[in-house]
Amino acid sequence: MATEALGQAQRLANGDAAPPAGQSLRAWIGLGANLGDRGAAMAQALQQLAGSAGVAVQAVSSLYSSRPVDSSGPDYLNAVAELRTSLSAQQLLHLLQQLELAAGRERPYRNAPRTLDLDVLLYADIDTSIAMPDLQVPHPRMWQRAFVLAPLQELAPAWVSEAQLQPLLPQGVQRSQGPDWWR
């Protein structure tokens, strides 16, 4: 039994293993946009996720506005969503990337302004680590971004303390709408 659990943990850490048949795991994704109708693009992505095979939207944080970090352009809208998924972390990433492309996402340079940005922040739980060329979990910069930690704190308060969030507040993140903004 312990060997089976260790094997499953190693497969999850590879990012390419889905949960066992008939089971699902929790995953948290970050949503953001700073071009076009930002809120509509994010709401549409959540609705598309909710209608995707192997994905159920469990909870969505409030909507936050923030200045760009390490970038330029208009202010962002950001949120975090908790999902249940039977997809592997890699499959979830590919689904998110398809939704970004459908929303007109372009990648002309690193941290370019975007119509939609979807990131896998956490997969399975806070202790699961995945290191693949195109996917790292936990998201490598999430602990440095108030626009990720403030909405994540709403959904998983035990994982984000005020002490972690306070030093990041000068980044200029502000709650702009409650959690029903996407419906």
Side-chain angles (χ1 to χ4, degrees):
M1 184 69 124
T3 303
E4 182 179 315
L6 178 61
Q8 178 66 15
Q10 288 172 336
R11 286 190 302 276
L12 289 176
N14 290 335
D16 57 1
Q23 295 183 22
S24 64
L25 296 171
R26 294 188 307 173
W28 289 262
I29 63 165
L31 301 98
N34 75 331
L35 295 177
D37 191 342
R38 305 165 300 165
M42 292 168 55
Q44 182 175 8
L46 284 167
Q47 291 161 4
Q48 289 171 320
L49 277 170
S52 297
V55 178
V57 176
Q58 298 294 294
V60 178
S61 74
S62 296
L63 195 60
Y64 289 79
S65 62
S66 65
R67 297 187 304 262
V69 176
D70 298 334
S71 183
S72 61
D75 285 355
Y76 277 85
L77 288 180
N78 296 98
V80 169
E82 179 185 343
L83 311 176
R84 293 285 314 177
T85 186
S86 59
L87 302 177
S88 71
Q90 189 75 35
Q91 291 169 324
L92 180 59
L93 173 66
H94 290 304
L95 174 59
L96 298 179
Q97 290 172 338
Q98 289 172 355
L99 295 175
E100 288 177 337
L101 286 174
R105 170 80 188 263
E106 296 178 1
R107 298 174 190 268
Y109 54 90
R110 182 176 167 86
N111 295 329
R114 51 203 72 162
T115 55
L116 183 63
D117 185 26
L118 302 171
D119 293 315
V120 178
L121 302 174
L122 299 163
Y123 184 81
D125 61 45
I126 191 124
D127 296 323
T128 299
S129 294
I130 298 172
M132 300 178 78
D134 61 343
L135 176 64
Q136 294 199 349
V137 173
H139 189 282
R141 291 174 303 284
M142 69 181 264
W143 300 108
Q144 302 162 1
R145 307 287 198 239
F147 62 80
V148 173
L149 295 185
L152 181 61
Q153 186 181 49
E154 280 186 43
L155 301 182
W159 292 351
V160 180
S161 70
E162 285 297 320
Q164 290 170 302
L165 187 55
Q166 281 299 324
L168 302 176
L169 292 180
Q171 292 176 0
V173 64
Q174 294 182 338
R175 185 175 180 263
S176 60
Q177 283 185 283
D180 288 331
W181 62 269
W182 68 286
R183 295 186 189 263

